[in-house]
Amino acid sequence: MNDLNDVNEKPEPAELNGEPDDKAVQNPLQPSAPPLPAASPPAAPKDRRALRAVLRWTAAVVVFGVLGSGVAYGITERERTDVPGLSTRSDGRWDYPELVKPALPAGAALPFAADNPGMIHYAGLEQLLLPAPARSVPDATLKGDRSRISVDRFLAEFGGDDHVASMRQDLAQSGPVQIAARGWSMPDGTATRIYLVRFHSAGYQNAFSTLHFSNTGMAPRRLKDIEGESALDEDYNLGNGIPHVRHDVYAESAPTGPVQVRHAYLTAGDVVALVVQSRKGSAAAVPFHQTTVLQEQLLG
C-alpha cells in the first residue's frame, strides 16, 4: 500500500500560462484569435505537516469508530455478568459448589438402569445430598455421622401433624435403609433442611409416599412453623425435564405465621426427599426453586 503522505503532482500543460507557442504557424486568412485571459495564479501549496495531521486524525476516528462499534456489539451480545467489571443485580440465586456425580461401588448398577429393577441408589446417601452454598452456616442439629439422623429427628419436621404416629409405624414396618439430612442458614435468615429417606426398593418408597405424601392440590402434611395452608407452587417448573424424578412443590399461602415455609417432596427410585426452606416474613422463591432442582439433579 502506498504511503498516504506521498501525494503525486501532475505536470501542468504549458497552455495554462496563457502564452501562445512561438513555433505555431498562424493562418493569415483567419483573423487573429483574441488572447486568452490570464489564468489565476496557482494556489499556494498546503502545509504538508497540516495535511499529515488531518490524515492521521481521520484514520484514528475511523479506527476508534470501528472498535467502538465492535465493543458495543460484544456487550449487547453477551450476558452482562460475562463482561468483567460489568455486573447486574443478583436475582437471588445462591452460590452452590459444582455438582459431582456420586461414585458407585465397583460393579453396582445405575439407579435407573435396566439391570436394576428395584431402582436402588447404590451411592453413599450423603453423596446424594445437595452440598451447602457459599456463606452458609451449618445446622448443628443435622450434623450426624455421615449425615445420618434418626427417624424421630426426621419426623420432628412434621411438628404436630396427626399422621406422625402412623408415619413412624409405617417406616418401622417398611424398614428404611437410611435417613440422611443436611441443613444450613444464610445471612438473610433463610433456613434450609434437606432429608433423604432410602427404602429397600422403589416399591417400598412408592407405597410410603403414596400413603403419606400424595398430591391433592394442598400439602398432604403440615410441617412445623406452618400456621396456614400450603398450596401447590405453580411457578415451579425448573425440574420438569429431569428423568425418573417426581416432585410436588408447595408454598405456604397468605396469611402466614411469623415465618413462611416452602417445601417439596421428591421421589426417585428407592429415595424420597423432603426439601424445606423457611424465613421470617417471607421465603424467596428463587433460592428455593434453585435448591430443589439441584437436589433433583443429584437424585436423577
Side-chain angles (χ1 to χ4, degrees):
M1 181 180 292
N2 295 329
D3 192 341
L4 292 176
N5 293 325
D6 294 338
V7 180
N8 295 324
E9 298 179 357
K10 295 183 180 180
E12 297 179 355
E15 290 80 357
L16 293 179
N17 57 17
E19 298 180 359
D21 190 346
D22 293 341
K23 296 182 181 180
V25 179
Q26 188 172 4
N27 187 348
L29 299 179
Q30 296 179 352
S32 300
L36 295 173
S40 301
K46 294 182 178 180
D47 189 344
R48 280 189 170 274
R49 288 177 298 178
L51 178 61
R52 281 194 289 268
V54 170
L55 291 173
R56 283 197 300 269
W57 278 106
T58 302
V61 170
V62 172
V63 169
F64 281 106
V66 172
L67 290 177
S69 299
V71 171
Y73 174 79
I75 290 177
T76 56
E77 290 300 305
R78 297 171 65 186
E79 295 290 339
R80 289 178 62 86
T81 51
D82 293 339
V83 182
L86 184 61
S87 61
T88 186
R89 294 181 63 185
S90 170
D91 62 358
R93 281 177 289 184
W94 293 342
D95 184 13
Y96 279 98
E98 183 176 357
L99 298 186
V100 178
K101 187 177 181 179
L104 293 175
L110 293 171
F112 305 107
D115 57 347
N116 187 354
M119 300 182 187
I120 298 171
H121 289 79
Y122 288 106
L125 197 57
E126 66 278 3
Q127 297 180 41
L128 297 173
L129 273 172
L130 182 66
R135 303 196 307 149
S136 61
V137 177
D139 184 338
T141 68
L142 298 176
K143 294 180 64 176
D145 179 34
R146 293 189 301 161
S147 303
R148 303 296 191 268
I149 62 169
S150 66
V151 169
D152 287 339
R153 177 63 185 86
F154 169 65
L155 293 177
E157 195 65 40
F158 298 91
D161 189 282
D162 55 7
H163 279 241
V164 168
S166 61
M167 290 171 67
R168 179 180 289 104
Q169 181 178 358
D170 290 338
L171 285 172
Q173 291 179 349
S174 58
V177 177
Q178 296 167 335
I179 302 179
R182 177 169 291 141
W184 62 84
S185 60
M186 296 297 285
D188 69 349
T190 301
T192 303
R193 296 175 298 281
I194 302 177
Y195 303 87
L196 302 184
V197 183
R198 177 156 61 186
F199 293 81
H200 288 295
S201 69
Y204 281 96
Q205 176 275 121
N206 185 65
F208 181 86
S209 298
T210 300
L211 183 61
H212 297 289
F213 300 150
S214 289
N215 172 20
T216 60
M218 303 298 290
R221 303 274 72 80
R222 184 184 296 275
L223 273 60
K224 68 177 182 179
D225 297 328
I226 293 180
E227 296 188 4
E229 297 291 338
S230 294
L232 280 173
D233 186 348
E234 301 293 347
D235 293 330
Y236 182 82
N237 55 13
L238 298 175
N240 290 339
I242 301 176
H244 312 295
V245 183
R246 175 181 172 177
H247 59 255
D248 294 316
V249 185
Y250 301 93
E252 185 179 5
S253 306
T256 66
V259 302
Q260 184 189 27
V261 179
R262 296 177 180 269
H263 67 286
Y265 299 106
L266 312 176
T267 57
D270 61 334
V271 174
V272 58
L274 172 63
V275 180
V276 185
Q277 272 189 11
S278 59
R279 182 173 178 268
K280 185 177 181 180
S282 62
V286 170
F288 173 66
H289 291 172
Q290 179 195 18
T291 300
T292 303
V293 74
L294 291 176
Q295 184 59 69
E296 285 196 56
Q297 290 177 357
L298 280 173
L299 292 176

